[in-house]
Amino acid sequence: SLLFSATFAKDIRKLAKTMLRNPVQVDVAVENTAADTVKQYVYPVDKSQKTKLLSHLIREEGWHQVLVFSRTKHGANRLVRMLAKDNIRALAIHGNKSQSQRTKALNDFKLGNVDILVATDIAARGLDIAQLPRVVNFDLPQVSEDYVHRIGRTGRAGLEGEAVSLVSADEIKQLRDIEVLIKQQIVRKELEGYEPQHVLPESRAIPSVGHKSRIRKSEESVNSRSRNSKRKKFYGRSRPSKSNSDRGNNQRAAGGR
């Protein structure tokens, strides 16, 4: 039997091993890595200015067919209303929408009747939009792996794509976790007129795989030396000399045999 899946959680892997005999796993790509065809950018911006910045980028850059990710259902609805005030056509898909509403919104998006589709992570699972040029993270996800799933909607089948994240200062932890996961720092861009008052802290250095390996080997070496030192101390001790009374007792015991 065969199972094909875009994602495979660790818990599911463990469960599968309890049911299958010597299962074979084939990966077509390295886990938690972004395709080379996807260009990634971060726009530092204050949270209160995110909608204005997104609206500006859509209009000034001439963006069409953009999939925007919102962390919450209410946030998705609010973003659609705000974009509508700037005459930008957008629809939302999330768990509170019926299946027919989600299907219609997706079809309208694919046909070009609306330019922007705002989605939550759960609603966007399994979406396959051919030649999607751009994904926007209006909010960074709480789970780093979700970032990889999000931007994987673009840059498919060898085509180029773009992943843009609007990041405020309070999302620095999520950003750093994402960069550690994908093993690269994401290029930052600041747009004039939208510079954040609350500065987004710098990213941390991303340790290479070789660096991590050297750290582990060094720790193992230190632990080994510590264990050897303890053994030497124990086995290097001289045996305690017997007291006169002990020797006398041994002699009396020998004479009584």
Side-chain angles (χ1 to χ4, degrees):
S1 60
L2 300 174
L3 170 65
F4 295 88
S5 177
T7 58
F8 211 169
K10 292 181 180 178
D11 291 340
I12 301 300
R13 293 177 196 269
K14 292 179 181 178
L15 180 61
K17 289 180 179 179
T18 64
M19 299 179 174
L20 304 175
R21 294 180 180 178
N22 302 320
V24 176
Q25 179 178 323
V26 178
D27 295 317
V28 297
V30 180
E31 188 179 10
N32 294 327
T33 56
D36 294 335
T37 53
V38 180
K39 297 179 180 178
Q40 304 174 60
Y41 302 104
V42 162
Y43 280 90
V45 61
D46 287 330
K47 188 178 291 290
S48 61
Q49 295 296 307
K50 280 190 177 186
T51 303
K52 291 182 179 179
L53 175 57
L54 177 60
S55 179
H56 174 86
L57 290 171
I58 292 170
R59 287 184 281 103
E60 297 301 319
E61 300 294 332
W63 287 357
H64 297 285
Q65 204 176 36
V66 182
L67 178 60
V68 181
F69 282 96
S70 171
R71 189 180 299 132
T72 66
K73 294 175 285 189
H74 297 298
N77 289 335
R78 183 169 58 250
L79 181 56
V80 168
R81 292 194 298 268
M82 297 300 290
L83 291 175
K85 293 181 179 179
D86 287 341
N87 296 317
I88 296 175
R89 299 171 298 174
L91 290 174
I93 57 171
H94 50 67
N96 284 354
K97 300 284 185 179
S98 66
Q99 184 60 46
S100 60
Q101 287 176 318
R102 281 182 279 180
T103 300
K104 183 178 185 307
L106 183 58
N107 289 335
D108 285 342
F109 181 66
K110 289 181 175 180
L111 294 172
N113 296 330
V114 292
D115 295 319
I116 313 299
L117 186 65
V118 185
T120 56
D121 288 300
I122 294 177
R125 295 279 180 174
L127 283 185
D128 186 14
I129 304 168
Q131 301 180 355
L132 180 68
R134 187 170 289 102
V135 167
V136 174
N137 293 299
F138 189 80
D139 304 303
L140 287 183
Q142 296 289 353
V143 180
S144 303
E145 287 79 1
D146 287 342
Y147 174 85
V148 178
H149 298 158
R150 287 181 179 188
I151 69 174
R153 306 296 170 189
T154 185
R156 292 186 170 188
L159 299 175
E160 290 189 352
E162 190 174 77
V164 174
S165 299
L166 311 183
V167 184
S168 54
D170 63 337
E171 294 176 298
I172 184 59
K173 182 183 182 302
Q174 291 98 302
L175 177 61
R176 287 172 173 169
D177 289 345
I178 288 168
E179 291 178 328
V180 169
L181 179 70
I182 64 175
K183 299 179 178 63
Q184 69 179 85
Q185 291 183 354
I186 304 174
V187 176
R188 298 190 184 197
K189 290 184 175 182
E190 278 198 4
L191 195 62
E192 186 177 356
Y194 295 92
E195 299 90 344
Q197 294 182 355
H198 303 283
V199 178
L200 180 66
E202 292 297 321
S203 298
R204 290 174 179 164
I206 307 299
S208 62
V209 175
H211 177 67
K212 290 181 178 179
S213 178
R214 287 193 297 272
I215 289 175
R216 284 196 296 269
K217 288 181 179 178
S218 176
E219 290 175 346
E220 290 171 0
S221 177
V222 170
N223 292 336
S224 177
R225 287 198 300 270
S226 177
R227 287 194 297 270
N228 290 337
S229 176
K230 290 179 180 179
R231 290 194 189 103
K232 288 178 180 179
K233 287 180 180 179
F234 179 79
Y235 291 112
R237 291 173 185 167
S238 60
R239 291 183 178 179
S241 60
K242 294 183 177 180
S243 64
N244 292 331
S245 59
D246 289 337
R247 284 196 293 269
N249 290 335
N250 291 338
Q251 291 173 355
R252 284 194 296 273
R257 287 193 184 99

